[in-house]
Amino acid sequence: MKYNNPVIKGFYPDPSVCKVEDTYYLVCSSMQYFPGVPLFESKDLINWNQIGHCLTRKSQIQLDKVNSSGGVFAPTLRYNNGRFYMTTTNDTTHQNFYVWTDDIYSEWSEPVNVDQGGIDPDLYFEDGKTFFMSNGTDDSGIGGIIQCEIDIETGSKLSPSRSIWQGTGGRYLEAPHMYKINGKYYLVAAEGGTEFGHMVTYACGDSISGPFEAYPHNPVLTNRNLGGYELQAVGHGDLIQDNNHNWWMLHLGFRQSGQWSTFHHLGREVFLTPITFGEDGWFTAGHKGTTLTCFETDRIPSDVVQKEKKSFTFENTEWDKEWCYLRQPHSQNYLLEQNKITLKGTEITLDQVGSPTFLGIRQKDFNAVISCDVSLANGEAGITLYMDENHHYDLAIRKDDNGCKVIERLNIGDIKSIENEVDLDSDHHVTLVIKASNDRYSFLIQADGKEILLGTAQTKYLSSEVAGGFTGVIIGLYASGKDSSAEFSKFKCDYI
């Protein structure tokens, strides 16, 4: 059968996967958004269903005043002796920790801290022992992938942190994962930076602590030399074996907005690439070491159909799964019902490193039509295409002493510009519409059976290449201003 990449679309970076019986489970980074660490399940590796989050309580993760692209970095998901473990980093507080659960469909524990620095932590279990890895500097000041043994009940170190591999020379050595396959230890990592130079490298050894011999043909997976190809920045991979003993890699990558347009604004997404072990013990990945938009394989049964959801509404999504808040939300400002929401704004705006009244869902494809009815009682409310506090496009209804208007506002770095505004009659109700394409957003309102175009803006100014950072565009519904209040209904995001 043929399957298409990415297998999870939109801002879901740094995937990590484990398998229990016939079900696969996967987690991703969430940065400054709450709840933290989206959690998915699948039966076939290509159809993924979000079942919740790992960090659902404020006591589990400190996100207050966290800058965009701070907060929760790359998680690792593992299963051992009937228990799931998710380990990650709060990069803002520089703390590695893990949480656990015996029921993956329920709540996770309070954090257990580990006194080892770096980011991208990994857990490996063997013979009753637990090993913890991250990138960083060991107790002797040596950089690389560092490892120690910990007490899994307390997180306490049982051995010094020691650098066990320094990679192949690429910059930003990160994302370590350890596996024991056919009696050998495989250490998989990422190098080159999570951008156009990203790559997966690995090494092999006879002991969990090394020494490790690098794969002679590293990088084993990279699209860094595929100029003009949509899929770029593949890396940060995690291996998994299916029930038929085939090996796969789940990894991140992004889709640039055009063949020669080296910008991406959807964020880093989840890709699936086949892995093949040779008789010499080394493995290769993908198509000649690259990831494709479409793979044809006999590893997945021909009767498996890759399904894709094309329309997202209030009614067919769940507030605690697909939707997210900025940092730590103030629950009293949100009234969430099955087919509508009421938002109460505060003086905290989208431009601040705070917790504005904001409820968002990830943009999953380039071409889309987004619409929502907004009824404003006071203040300002609308739809924002949000990359970070300095880069977002807003289509909003605003009420002040001079009446009620719909505004199109572009926020690009230090430039905050209302590009157009349309006066409304005494009725403070309007249908807001945003049409998205690869390279441009169009901002419209619907009134009296017709559409009024307020303006357009280029998508590249919401890209990581312009804004910086590691997130992607979130379609946000927001309210701002003291005593502001608005009702949102008939939300729809249709992908074309």
Side-chain angles (χ1 to χ4, degrees), residues 83 130 139 168 181 189 295 318 325 329 332 359 395 398 474 481:
R83 179 166 287 180
T130 305
D139 292 347
T168 67
I181 303 171
F295 278 105
E318 297 182 56
Y325 304 90
Q332 69 272 19
L359 188 66
L395 179 62
R398 186 168 67 178
I474 304 287

Side-chain angles (χ1 to χ4, degrees), residues 124 126 131 133 147 164 178 185 205-210 212:
Y124 177 80
E126 183 176 85
F131 296 90
M133 290 196 309
Q147 179 192 81
I164 60 173
M178 183 75 75
Y185 293 90
D206 294 321
S207 166
I208 192 172
S209 299
F212 291 95

Side-chain angles (χ1 to χ4, degrees), residues 49-190:
N49 175 52
Q50 188 171 355
I51 59 175
H53 295 80
C54 297
L55 305 176
T56 57
R57 304 185 300 278
K58 294 181 181 179
S59 61
Q60 293 172 306
I61 183 64
Q62 199 294 106
L63 294 177
D64 189 41
K65 304 298 183 182
V66 168
N67 285 310
S68 290
S69 294
V72 181
F73 274 30
T76 293
L77 182 65
R78 294 294 182 256
Y79 180 79
N80 185 62
N81 290 335
R83 179 166 287 180
F84 291 91
Y85 296 87
M86 187 283 296
T87 183
T88 188
T89 305
N90 186 337
D91 186 63
T92 301
T93 61
H94 307 294
Q95 181 63 61
N96 285 315
F97 67 92
Y98 57 88
V99 293
W100 57 267
T101 184
D102 295 328
D103 180 1
I104 202 165
Y105 303 101
S106 185
E107 290 288 304
W108 292 68
S109 73
E110 289 299 298
V112 180
N113 293 329
V114 178
D115 187 21
Q116 178 168 291
I119 60 172
D120 300 2
D122 178 75
L123 286 173
Y124 177 80
F125 299 91
E126 183 176 85
D127 297 333
K129 296 182 178 181
T130 305
F131 296 90
F132 185 90
M133 290 196 309
S134 59
N135 79 324
T137 304
D138 71 10
D139 292 347
S140 300
I142 301 173
I145 302 302
I146 55 177
Q147 179 192 81
C148 68
E149 184 184 350
I150 66 169
D151 181 339
I152 194 59
E153 296 298 324
T154 66
S156 300
K157 287 174 60 172
L158 301 178
S159 70
S161 297
R162 188 173 70 87
S163 181
I164 60 173
W165 194 48
Q166 285 73 51
T168 67
R171 64 176 181 169
Y172 305 136
L173 175 64
E174 56 192 348
H177 291 307
M178 183 75 75
Y179 317 88
K180 189 175 185 180
I181 303 171
N182 297 326
K184 294 281 189 178
Y185 293 90
Y186 291 80
L187 176 53
V188 175

